[in-house]
Amino acid sequence: MTLLAANMVFFKNSSGIFADSAIRKALVQGANVPNIVKNLDYQTRQVREPILIGQVAYDKSLVQVGHDLNAAKSALDAAGWTMNSKGIRSKADKTLSFTLTAPNTSEYHAVASQLNQQWKKLGVDMETEFLEASDFQNALAYHSYEAILYGISIGHDPDVFVYWDSSQADIRSANRLNLSEYKNATADASLEAGRTRLDPTLRTIKYKPFLQEWQKDNPALGLYQPRLLYLTNGRVSGLTEAPINNATDRFINVHNWQIREAKVTN
């Protein structure tokens, strides 16, 4: 069952190389997301913007930039990042390098490995740091990373304020779920306006400036919607697949499940 969630690479926009939007865009262009999704152990949808396909305000004209390795290379060249003899780019004695932090699971290992291979073609030197659950949660809470590979829960209502509003990047924020530490005044105003409207058409209009800024700024790389693998002991009739928000939602139509069928005679 597909989760109403988004796995992404969140670039820490507030510091280091990711303070430069040109580098963020080049990394997004250099990532072959369709190929990553194809190599997963399950079929799912790509995540191409901060709102999921089919949700209120999703706009197919405002998806993140697509895979274009040559364009990404040209952009880095134009920004002054030159390739050395080892195939790594540098500028003013600074190497184009960073560490990607991720949970220590087989799926994240596979995704990170593919990203590493893809970005190496750009001349990027990426290290990976895989953390066990407790250490990863600490890194997440304190934002002690340069870039982080992780998933966020979006739910049926695409109110993504906590993930992208500037206030949620502040160390004083209760949850600090703006993992990219993305700050954009236009996006903030749009997020505020969109979440306070009930009419879907009006919400779509109000969220558009946020989606436009997100597309332009590339604060993160959208990857895919994760799935929940639910195993049953034998055949279960009436167990239909639908997007779910969390693991317990798999029981939403449990009243329709049947584990035994028999012919009944009077």
Side-chain angles (χ1 to χ4, degrees), residues 47-187:
V47 170
R48 304 192 65 191
E49 59 187 67
I51 293 174
L52 302 177
I53 295 172
Q55 290 190 318
V56 172
Y58 179 84
D59 190 333
K60 63 181 180 181
S61 71
L62 295 175
V63 298
Q64 69 187 11
V65 64
H67 177 58
D68 190 334
L69 186 62
N70 290 330
K73 287 180 177 178
S74 296
L76 291 174
D77 288 339
W81 291 94
T82 58
M83 196 89 77
N84 63 25
S85 59
K86 295 181 180 179
I88 304 299
R89 291 181 184 269
S90 61
K91 178 181 179 180
D93 297 324
K94 185 177 181 179
T95 302
L96 188 55
S97 61
F98 70 95
T99 298
L100 178 67
T101 301
N104 189 20
T105 69
S106 58
E107 182 173 312
Y108 284 125
H109 271 269
V111 172
S113 176
Q114 291 177 79
L115 287 170
N116 192 10
Q117 294 172 29
Q118 293 169 7
W119 285 336
K120 188 174 290 184
K121 296 175 183 178
L122 281 179
V124 177
D125 182 21
M126 186 188 93
E127 299 290 333
T128 49
E129 177 186 43
F130 296 104
L131 301 178
E132 299 302 330
S134 61
D135 290 333
F136 183 80
Q137 288 303 316
N138 283 333
L140 203 63
Y142 294 102
H143 288 206
S144 54
Y145 51 78
E146 295 179 280
I148 194 163
L149 171 60
Y150 195 49
I152 53 174
S153 176
I154 295 177
H156 293 280
D157 185 315
D159 179 3
V160 292
F161 174 90
V162 294
Y163 301 122
W164 305 109
D165 190 82
S166 299
S167 65
Q168 304 305 300
D170 195 305
I171 194 170
R172 295 165 294 183
S173 170
N175 297 309
R176 210 181 178 196
L177 292 177
N178 184 342
L179 303 181
S180 291
E181 298 190 356
Y182 178 54
K183 296 182 179 180
N184 180 300
T186 301

